[in-house]
Amino acid sequence: MMIRLVTWAIGLAVAGGLSLLLVIAVALSVAYPNLPDISDLSTYRPKLPMRVFSADGVLIGEFGEERRSLTPIKDIPQVMKDAVLAIEDARFFQHGGVDYLGVIRAGLANVGRSKSQGASTITMQVARNVYLSAEKSYTRKIYEILLTFKLEHMLTKDQILEIYMNQIFLGQRAYGFAAASETYFGKPLKDISIAEAAMLAGLPKAPSAYNPISNLPRARVRQQYIIERMEENNFITSAQASAAKKEVLKIRSGPNAGRVHAEFIAETVRQLVFSQYGDSTYTRGLNVYTTVSSADQTAAYKALRNGIMDFERRQVYRGPEKFLTLPVDPKEAEDIIDDALADSPDNGDVMSAVVLEATPRKITAVRHNGESVEITGDGLKPAQSGLSDKAPANIRLRRGALIRVAKTEKNTWEITQLPEVEGAFVALDPRDGAIRALVGGFDFGKNKFNHVTQAWRQPGSSFKPFIYSAALEKGFTPATVINDAPLFFDSGVTGGQPWEPKNYDGTFEGPMSMRTALKKSKNMISIRILQAVGTQNAQDWIGRFGFEADKHPAYLTMALGAGSVTPMQMATAYSVFGNGGYRVSPYLITKITDQQGRTLVETPAPVRDESTRAIEPRNAFIMSSLLQEVTRSGTAARAQAMLKRTDLYGKTGTTNDSIDTWFVGYQPTLTAAVWMGYDKPKKLGDRETGGGLSLPIWINFMETALKSTPVVEFPVPAGVVNIDGEWYYEEYARGAGISSMGIDGRPSGLPSEASKLSAPVQVMPPSEERRRILDLFKN
């Protein structure tokens, strides 16, 4: 009887097993054909972002949903592969997709409450991450296993590992270990150490939980465990493991930490490329190479921000950004502070902090990383008004105030505030128009408006050189003497309100040479010159430099820069003087390649020939001589004094009521324009000028940009002569020393100094021009 029961039981078991196998076979026959086609994985091409590089190969921008850098398996360092295999799938090269020993080991470890271990192999993770949803069900698990076998059958182990190491999400928008290495350590994958590889290898399990930027202690624990696993699997020696555990890692503080700040350039490139490639711009792995110098860009970014913050220190303190109600319980207060600082992140070197205690002599505050900040002495001066007991509630500094702080040159803290004023900086090579640096505003995240290309502002006195250039073609010379005397235009002349222009300082100095007038930026003389040249002639002339006629109406106010320009236009226009008289077109992109390095677009170097000539070489040469005087002894004399070189040329500019300030200048290899002002135009301050605000930014930049550039002097072109130390057009110097043109149009009667300056001027312009100049010089 017992034997019969056992036989029946065995029979039923066999029948059940056969039935189960039959069901599985039917399920497989139905499921397998429905598996996704994986043939495209043999030529794995994931979504790759567009990457923007400087001329010297530094990454300055990246656009795409996924931050990724496709790296072939042969280029992935062995230490990175070993770290991943040690923690994810040590038997990857031994099993056929499903590691049965690993399943048993994981089960025993989990039951025994040892360190939790997973049973998913790398192949299974590829199947899941590339093709399957995140749904958790038996059906999906069956598909995962079937797809795993299919992958193992159709692809080599190296192909599977390559897909995994490029596809996996690792936090901070980084996909793949190459992108993660740049994101967390700011270095190429090929340069990572054992300790860094172990840190990255810990990310796939939980990218948020083990993110070293936001949760370093927890990431460190996982890293130590992975180093142990590497040693256990004989990927590294005991000595290497010990050294790796002790290595202090330099984690980037954020996605932009340590990177070149070129956000305005990157966005300009994005717009240009998108106009050609559309939505595929963000997925096809384009590499865009620009003309930008990373060193010059960094110098420009720092110079502009420093200049703006120097101005901000002189402004009235506007008060904390917000006030927090902090509970007595330290833990509750800490949570509120963390949330507030996360909502008001650091703006570069202008950092956020929350006040814990404030007295007239000391502020104690805390930063997002728990760092304590103590502000005393001069560091309190910018916000002194907020420390008074009588300060209005909206500016009074007290516990819970969210403020901005910055480090000083002495490495102490000072209180500051985010600036309201804006600025722009652009530098380009005057020889071909290649843009070397561009900063469109104080902070791209705060204001994406590109003031270099989009801000139309009055140029003020920085526009005068173009009027002077026109005058050279009408018989004027640097030695022509003109009267700096009051002018008045009634409504009959202006067609509107009477106009009585003034010099900046409100004084008049009488007769002086054109050279002296430009270096002192005399408004009355610029107006008189424009009267002589003719407003229509001047409007036609400035078109040679790229200015638009409708932005500069043919009125006398053109002499004072009352039209509208952009900083890019000004840099381009001054480059005409700097390159001997040629128009240049600014350009930014030199080459675009695909992900495999094949060139798709290449911009040839611009050719400079007579078809691009804007003005004669001699006009450019004499204008450079005049602009050199400005930087030597004029309103921009600080330039040559501080940079200690003579090959500097430029002009300051300040508009009415100091609403805009400018400095535009060049050296034969580099032109740069600086602008400062408010987006909603308002007065910068009674004493604020282009020489005080914009010029220091230009000098700060040039100090770095020209450090290794030798002094270069312009060659003397044909058609000019030098007499008694002054330059003239050859035809206007034939009778030098015989007579001079006086302020009332007569050859004599000049004060001795003015007579000396104007003595070489002999040849009068044609009759009509002479009549207008005679009228101009009358008091």
Side-chain angles (χ1 to χ4, degrees), residues 151-372:
L151 285 169
E152 288 279 347
H153 175 69
M154 296 190 66
L155 302 177
T156 67
K157 286 288 188 178
D158 276 349
Q159 285 177 310
I160 294 170
L161 188 58
E162 179 181 297
I163 293 168
Y164 175 81
M165 300 196 76
N166 282 283
Q167 182 72 20
I168 194 76
F169 175 63
L170 300 172
Q172 301 289 132
R173 285 183 48 235
Y175 287 77
F177 288 94
S181 180
E182 292 282 357
T183 299
Y184 294 107
F185 302 120
K187 61 167 60 175
L189 186 61
K190 65 181 178 64
D191 295 334
I192 62 169
S193 65
I194 293 173
E196 290 166 336
M199 182 70 79
L200 295 179
L203 290 165
K205 182 177 181 180
S208 296
Y210 298 117
N211 184 329
I213 292 175
S214 58
N215 200 341
L216 183 58
R218 192 169 181 178
R220 179 80 173 163
V221 171
R222 178 132 177 102
Q223 176 221 31
Q224 298 289 299
Y225 172 60
I226 292 173
I227 292 172
E228 292 172 4
R229 293 280 297 157
M230 293 177 74
E231 183 183 357
E232 289 172 11
N233 285 278
N234 297 317
F235 290 135
I236 58 175
T237 65
S238 296
Q240 288 175 313
S242 178
K245 285 184 176 182
K246 296 175 183 176
E247 183 178 332
V248 178
L249 302 185
K250 295 181 179 179
I251 308 294
R252 292 173 66 175
S253 60
N256 292 319
R259 293 183 63 174
V260 175
H261 283 279
E263 295 86 351
F264 287 98
I265 291 172
E267 173 58 17
T268 301
V269 169
R270 184 198 68 79
Q271 293 175 18
L272 292 170
V273 176
F274 183 82
S275 67
Q276 182 168 350
Y277 293 100
D279 289 337
S280 66
T281 296
Y282 311 119
T283 59
R284 62 184 293 180
L286 298 175
N287 294 313
V288 185
Y289 297 89
T290 67
T291 58
V292 173
S293 159
S294 62
D296 287 354
Q297 179 63 27
T298 297
Y301 176 80
K302 290 180 178 179
L304 183 65
R305 282 181 68 96
N306 289 343
I308 289 176
M309 291 309 297
D310 285 344
F311 171 80
E312 192 58 47
R313 290 185 185 93
R314 302 194 293 274
Q315 307 312 300
V316 174
Y317 186 59
R318 297 184 291 275
E321 294 180 20
K322 63 174 73 170
F323 294 94
L324 311 175
T325 301
L326 299 181
V328 177
D329 179 26
K331 184 65 175 71
E332 292 181 15
E334 183 180 326
D335 290 341
I336 291 174
I337 289 171
D338 286 346
D339 290 342
L341 293 177
D343 292 337
S344 302
D346 294 346
N347 187 303
D349 50 2
V350 183
M351 296 167 271
S352 54
V354 173
V355 174
L356 299 179
E357 184 182 359
T359 70
R361 293 190 175 184
K362 184 174 77 172
I363 290 177
T364 303
V366 64
R367 300 234 312 111
H368 73 90
N369 52 7
E371 179 185 8
S372 179

Side-chain angles (χ1 to χ4, degrees), residues 645 647 667 706 708-712:
R645 55 190 301 152
D647 57 341
Q667 186 269 351
L706 297 179
S708 59
T709 304
V711 173
V712 179

